[in-house]
Amino acid sequence: MGNELRSENLGRLSNTEIGKSNPYYLHYKSFHRDLKYAIKKYSKGNLIDIGCGNKPYEKEFEGLIDKYVGCDIIQSNLNKVDVLCSANNIPLQGESFQTVISTQTIEHVEDHQGLVNEAYRLLEKNGYFILSGPLYWPLHEEPYDFFRFTRYGFKYILEKAGFEVVEILSNGGVWATAGQAIIHAIQNSNSKNFFGRIMLSMYYRFKLIYLLNYIFGWLDGKKENSINPMNYVIIAKK
């Protein structure tokens, strides 16, 4: 996977405290809601986290599992990775975990089917795989950003590996996605024209991030329409 080209000690998400001043609030609001639901309902026994980074959800597993092993292709900036390896070639014994989780990693794996196949191999029978990934998100961690998946794409690659899909949770509706896209557009604007400079100045000077997060979060909460979600959390069973 070309880990020699990737940055060591890469900064990653390290906690789940995301307030309205955060530019990714609209994304994390529904994603964390659904992920925490999945963790609480399906986690058990020994767990492996594929693409663990800084293990930002480690505390969510307290009292639910017996052991937490994190693997990633590079060490995180907080040195949380236990096993350094590729997601499609994990040097651990098969059928040795009751839970596998992989959050916001699959879009960065060239061999995404290999990641899913490894999750299946590592799980005991009746174990659960909690998987998440984006449908909408700008390019990030370039050039290691390869894929976006619809709910049907996730279902296909999971069933191809032998999994039974139990739940597919859409994270964020059309209003949350629209708001997040507007925030991304403003923050990544490099416009040299007068209007662009004024808009960017007002955004930071008047802290419009609060207002945008509040308005689009409120609209999304009134009636969540999942035809264009930002993300998915999927639970599959071996």
Side-chain angles (χ1 to χ4, degrees):
M1 290 198 43
N3 59 308
E4 69 278 0
L5 299 177
R6 304 192 184 204
S7 300
E8 288 291 339
N9 298 311
L10 185 67
R12 296 285 180 85
L13 181 71
S14 57
N15 65 74
T16 60
E17 299 302 318
I18 309 293
K20 289 188 177 69
S21 63
N22 192 295
Y24 308 127
Y25 167 79
L26 291 169
H27 163 70
Y28 282 116
K29 179 184 178 184
S30 55
F31 169 45
H32 280 170
R33 175 198 67 203
D34 292 339
L35 182 63
K36 289 177 181 180
Y37 155 81
I39 288 171
K40 186 175 182 180
K41 184 172 180 179
Y42 295 102
S43 299
K44 59 181 180 179
N46 293 333
L47 175 144
I48 184 167
D49 186 341
I50 303 176
C52 66
N54 281 323
K55 298 181 180 177
Y57 310 111
E58 189 171 16
K59 289 184 178 179
E60 303 298 328
F61 293 102
E62 290 180 359
L64 299 174
I65 63 172
D66 300 323
K67 184 179 181 182
Y68 190 127
V69 176
C71 70
D72 211 317
I73 195 166
I74 57 173
Q75 186 56 263
S76 67
N77 60 310
L78 297 182
N79 293 304
K80 288 282 193 172
V81 181
D82 303 304
V83 181
L84 290 169
C85 63
S86 298
N88 62 351
N89 187 20
I90 301 171
L92 297 174
Q93 184 178 346
E95 299 187 351
S96 53
F97 295 91
Q98 290 77 50
T99 310
V100 175
I101 187 169
S102 183
T103 59
Q104 310 308 104
T105 296
I106 194 167
E107 72 270 25
H108 298 293
V109 179
E110 297 97 316
D111 180 17
H112 57 269
Q113 188 66 55
L115 183 157
V116 175
N117 293 346
E118 276 294 85
Y120 190 88
R121 181 185 70 84
L122 291 167
L123 272 175
E124 290 184 355
K125 187 177 179 181
N126 296 318
Y128 287 101
F129 181 26
I130 302 170
L131 173 66
S132 77
L135 177 60
Y136 161 75
W137 205 253
L139 289 171
H140 56 293
E141 295 187 26
E142 296 179 72
Y144 303 102
D145 188 5
F146 302 106
F147 302 101
R148 300 291 182 269
F149 298 88
T150 67
R151 63 187 297 120
Y152 305 106
F154 275 122
K155 186 172 186 289
Y156 174 80
I157 61 176
L158 285 162
E159 290 181 345
K160 185 177 180 181
F163 281 107
E164 172 194 350
V165 175
V166 178
E167 292 193 62
I168 299 178
L169 307 172
S170 301
N171 316 141
V174 294
W175 287 112
T177 303
Q180 189 65 70
I182 289 170
I183 292 168
H184 277 136
I186 294 173
Q187 292 200 326
N188 291 295
S189 173
N190 57 1
S191 175
K192 298 295 191 295
N193 63 51
F194 177 76
F195 177 76
R197 293 199 305 270
I198 289 296
M199 182 177 64
L200 201 58
S201 175
M202 290 179 63
Y203 174 80
Y204 287 108
R205 180 174 296 182
F206 298 107
K207 298 182 178 179
L208 294 183
I209 186 68
Y210 289 97
L211 183 61
L212 290 169
N213 278 332
Y214 177 81
I215 290 173
F216 284 96
W218 179 80
L219 287 170
D220 206 60
K222 295 297 288 183
K223 184 173 176 60
E224 188 171 303
N225 184 330
S226 60
I227 194 172
N228 188 30
M230 267 183 281
N231 204 76
Y232 291 102
V233 171
I234 308 95
I235 301 95
K237 183 179 181 180
K238 180 173 179 179

